[in-house]
Amino acid sequence: MNHKHLVAGPRHAILHNLPLVSCGLVVVLFAVMMLGVSVGAVSIPLDVVWSVVVSHLAPDSVEVTWSAGRDNIVWEVRLPRVILGAIVGATLSIVGAALQSVTRNPLADPHLLGISSGAALGAIIVLLHTGMFLGLITVPLFAFGGALLTTAVVVGVANFAHATNASRLVLTGVAVSFVVTSLGSLGIFLGDPRAAHTVIFWMLGGLGLSQWAQLPYPAVALLTGGAFLLLNARNLNAMTLGDESATTLGIPAARFRLVVFIVCALLTGAAVAFSGIISFVGLMIPHLVRMVVGGDYRRVLPLSALVGAIFLVVADMAARIIIPPQDMPLGVITGLVGGAFFILLMRRNGRLA
């Protein structure tokens, strides 16, 4: 009982000052993003970073005292990278939170239904077989298409098999994921071995190929899909109680679950298409947020987005500075941190909850 009171005290204080906490997280995110632009194989002082950004947003507002090389590193290379990291981290976190609600499965994450496997298959087809026949947009476009096609297959099979309840829909997604992963492995086997390393790095996740022209796609997906989930936060709260309880509250549980799955597939496909497969973020961050603020999705969703964005920007900084000048795959960093987090969580609670 004493332990519960100790936990309830800080949680009550946080909930009481939630707007202040949210504003604080926004400030932390902004600071971390600026730091993320500063660090790397070539370190750039924060005042130079800020000056470069201001000079591009408001030309002729500051005197240019830095080299063209530093300007290019800040504006063309690192700033799009940290912005994409924040978008992807926020996206994966809210998707994980939503899926954990509608499946009532604490292990649910954005890759649960084979969405990432479909995206990987699309990327494999381009990188090893068709080539970049549409330019730099070819890989993201095929990855996004693969994610949507896989989701359509999962939903179609679920409807055909009348597997619309939470557990059977998850099993359907796992089965389709195995099939799609096998097709991807076959694509690697039949492809050019000299190009296989690019596929492997993409499948392990990374933000090194980010460009300004690509950012609107995952950003628009996050804004629209995130708004939908936030507007349905009360329904997500009800879904955590089970289908029967949700139905008594007037929510068509099976239909709402399918809609959430489709929205989550769009969000995940848009994120994975530009970052590759990044594991554990959508699984870990919602748990971390719920431990602090409780299970109300009106709080869990926005705070998960902010914490997920901060986490992935920090993880990408680590990926850049551990073995410079090379980038460590981002999925390796998130996997190590996420695995350690859940071992500690199981030790603390004795179970996943």
Side-chain angles (χ1 to χ4, degrees):
M1 290 299 293
N2 291 335
H3 174 72
K4 290 183 179 180
H5 285 305
L6 290 173
V7 173
R11 176 180 291 183
H12 176 75
I14 291 173
L15 294 179
H16 184 70
N17 297 290
L18 196 59
L20 185 61
V21 171
S22 301
C23 292
L25 287 174
V26 171
V27 172
V28 171
L29 175 59
F30 180 79
V32 165
M33 291 175 70
M34 288 295 100
L35 185 61
V37 177
S38 174
V39 303
V42 177
S43 181
I44 299 176
L46 282 171
D47 61 326
V48 176
V49 170
W50 181 246
S51 297
V52 171
V53 173
V54 171
S55 71
H56 279 272
L57 296 177
D60 302 324
S61 60
V62 294
E63 182 183 356
V64 177
T65 59
W66 54 89
S67 66
R70 283 190 167 186
D71 189 282
N72 185 69
I73 290 173
V74 170
W75 187 256
E76 298 295 340
V77 178
R78 292 186 184 168
L79 189 57
R81 179 173 183 148
V82 298
I83 292 174
L84 179 62
I87 293 171
V88 171
T91 299
L92 296 179
S93 298
I94 63 172
V95 168
L99 291 178
Q100 287 164 16
S101 164
V102 296
T103 63
R104 301 185 69 203
N105 184 345
L107 296 178
D109 77 339
H111 312 310
L112 181 70
L113 300 179
I115 301 168
S116 297
S117 301
L121 178 59
I124 289 168
I125 292 172
V126 171
L127 294 172
L128 296 182
H129 298 283
T130 67
M132 311 282 279
F133 64 93
L134 295 176
L136 293 176
I137 197 66
T138 311
V139 172
L141 189 63
F142 269 64
F144 185 63
L148 294 187
L149 181 61
T150 303
T151 304
V153 171
V154 171
V155 173
V157 171
N159 286 331
F160 175 77
H162 303 292
T164 54
N165 64 60
S167 58
R168 296 187 67 187
L169 192 55
V170 169
L171 291 175
T172 302
V174 171
V176 173
S177 178
F178 279 130
V179 173
V180 175
T181 300
S182 298
L183 292 176
S185 300
L186 179 62
I188 294 175
F189 177 75
L190 296 176
D192 185 354
R194 293 172 295 181
H197 70 281
T198 60
V199 174
I200 293 173
F201 188 86
W202 190 89
M203 293 177 70
L204 292 175
L207 305 172
L209 301 178
S210 56
Q211 298 177 0
W212 283 111
Q214 298 173 347
L215 295 182
Y217 302 103
V220 170
L222 174 60
L223 289 174
T224 55
F228 170 84
L229 293 176
L230 193 56
L231 289 173
N232 286 276
R234 292 183 183 273
N235 292 347
L236 292 172
N237 285 338
M239 292 294 289
T240 61
L241 303 175
D243 286 10
E244 291 184 4
S245 298
T247 302
T248 59
L249 295 173
I251 301 170
R255 187 173 66 187
F256 179 69
R257 182 181 296 109
L258 284 176
V259 171
V260 170
F261 273 137
I262 293 170
V263 171
C264 289
L266 291 169
L267 284 166
T268 306
V272 170
F274 296 99
S275 67
I277 299 174
I278 299 175
S279 60
F280 262 112
V281 177
L283 185 59
M284 174 178 60
I285 299 300
H287 278 282
L288 189 62
V289 170
R290 279 194 295 264
M291 287 170 59
V292 177
V293 301
D296 188 342
Y297 273 78
R298 291 172 295 180
R299 298 189 294 263
V300 170
L301 288 173
L303 293 182
S304 291
L306 288 171
V307 175
I310 293 169
F311 171 76
L312 203 61
V313 172
V314 172
D316 182 57
M317 279 194 284
R320 278 185 278 146
I321 63 178
I322 289 177
I323 50 173
Q326 296 182 348
D327 286 358
M328 178 177 288
L330 193 50
V332 174
I333 303 291
T334 59
L336 289 172
V337 174
F341 169 81
F342 269 93
I343 291 172
L344 293 174
L345 185 63
M346 286 188 291
R347 176 177 173 82
R348 176 182 174 180
N349 294 343
R351 61 184 179 86
L352 281 174

